[in-house]
Each structure stands twice: as C-alpha cells, then as structure tokens.
C-alpha cells in the first residue's frame, strides 16, 4: 500500500499524462477549459481539463479522509498544507513551504473569509 505522502495524482488526456506526488502540488488554477498545476519545485503543468474534472479525479485518487486539497471559489484548488497567510479583505493568500518557495494567489473575500474561519476552527480542536 502506498504511503499518503507518496500518493501520486495522475491526470491523462488524449495526448499527455501528468504524474505528480500529491504532497508536491501547491495549487491548481482554472483558466477556461484548462487548468494549471503549480508544484512546490516551481514547476507548472497545464492540463486540458476543467477544474471541476480535476477536483473529481483528486477525490477518486486520494483516500476519503485525505482532505488536504480544498476548493476555493470557482477557479482555485489549494493544498492546505501550504497555506501560510490569508488576508480576506485584500483578497490575498500566500502558499509557501516557508523554505524554498512562496506563491501568491488571489480569491474572493467571501471565499477567503470562509477558508480563514475553517482553518481557525480546525486549529482549536
């Protein structure tokens, strides 16, 4: 059985296959019928899949209790392990491993406010 940290996400299309360790995926952003995967090593892959299709495939590939990926609004999925900073009013979020990379994304105030509240609630447990 494969360790959760080593679990690979695999996305295929008619012309390509992308295989990446789930733990190295920082975020996935939508751009129309395409989605861009950003990795912790700075790499990017553009897929000919819509974000909803990717979201469903991730749910199928990972264990149901693995909730590290969270959808934020219409155009963003983030790996919650990399969330370092959220500022809903400025519509800004920083994803970082606090060592090698820092990636800034923006999302709606409401989506970031809900995410902030969710993370605060989880931290109190």
């Amino acid at each position: 059985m494969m360790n959760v940290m080593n679990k690979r996400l695999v996305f295929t299309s008619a012309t390509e296959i992308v295989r990446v360790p789930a733990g190295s995926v920082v975020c996935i952003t939508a751009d129309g019928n395409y989605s861009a995967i950003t990795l912790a090593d700075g790499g990017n892959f553009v897929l000919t899949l819509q974000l909803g299709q990717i979201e469903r495939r991730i749910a199928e590939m990972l264990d149901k209790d693995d909730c590290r990926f969270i959808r934020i609004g219409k155009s963003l999925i983030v790996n919650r392990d990399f969330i370092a900073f959220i500022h809903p009013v400025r519509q800004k979020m920083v994803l970082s491993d606090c060592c090698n990379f820092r990636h800034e994304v923006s999302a709606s105030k409401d989506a970031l406010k809900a995410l902030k509240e969710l993370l605060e609630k989880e931290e109190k447990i």
Side-chain angles (χ1 to χ4, degrees):
M1 185 194 274
M2 192 174 250
N3 178 322
V4 171
M5 290 301 292
N6 297 328
K7 183 80 176 172
R8 287 194 179 271
L9 298 179
V10 180
F11 303 100
T12 60
S13 73
T15 58
E16 63 197 0
I17 182 169
V18 174
R19 299 174 64 244
V20 292
S24 69
V25 175
V26 176
C27 66
I28 305 166
T29 52
D31 185 10
N33 289 328
Y34 297 90
S35 297
I37 298 176
T38 300
L39 303 176
D41 69 0
N44 284 291
F45 293 103
V46 176
L47 303 172
T48 54
L49 295 168
Q50 293 177 333
L51 202 61
Q53 294 171 296
I54 289 178
E55 184 177 30
R56 284 188 295 279
R57 288 191 186 183
I58 288 172
E60 292 167 3
M61 287 183 262
L62 297 180
D63 297 332
K64 64 178 180 251
D65 59 342
D66 184 345
C67 57
R68 80 181 99 182
F69 291 99
I70 187 165
R71 176 95 180 241
I72 301 171
K74 295 179 182 176
S75 61
L76 184 63
I77 296 173
V78 298
N79 183 335
R80 63 192 323 153
D81 294 341
F82 291 113
I83 298 171
F85 176 80
I86 299 172
H87 195 304
V89 175
R90 292 190 350 218
Q91 298 179 288
K92 177 180 169 183
M93 179 170 39
V94 174
L95 303 167
S96 175
D97 68 352
C98 299
C99 293
N100 302 309
F101 79 91
R102 183 178 194 279
H103 186 74
E104 253 182 58
V105 295
S106 61
S108 74
K109 286 181 192 176
D110 291 341
L112 289 177
K113 184 174 186 252
L115 178 61
K116 178 180 174 286
E117 290 168 359
L118 173 72
L119 293 176
E120 287 171 341
K121 187 189 301 183
E122 288 177 355
E123 294 299 322
K124 291 179 183 173
I125 295 174

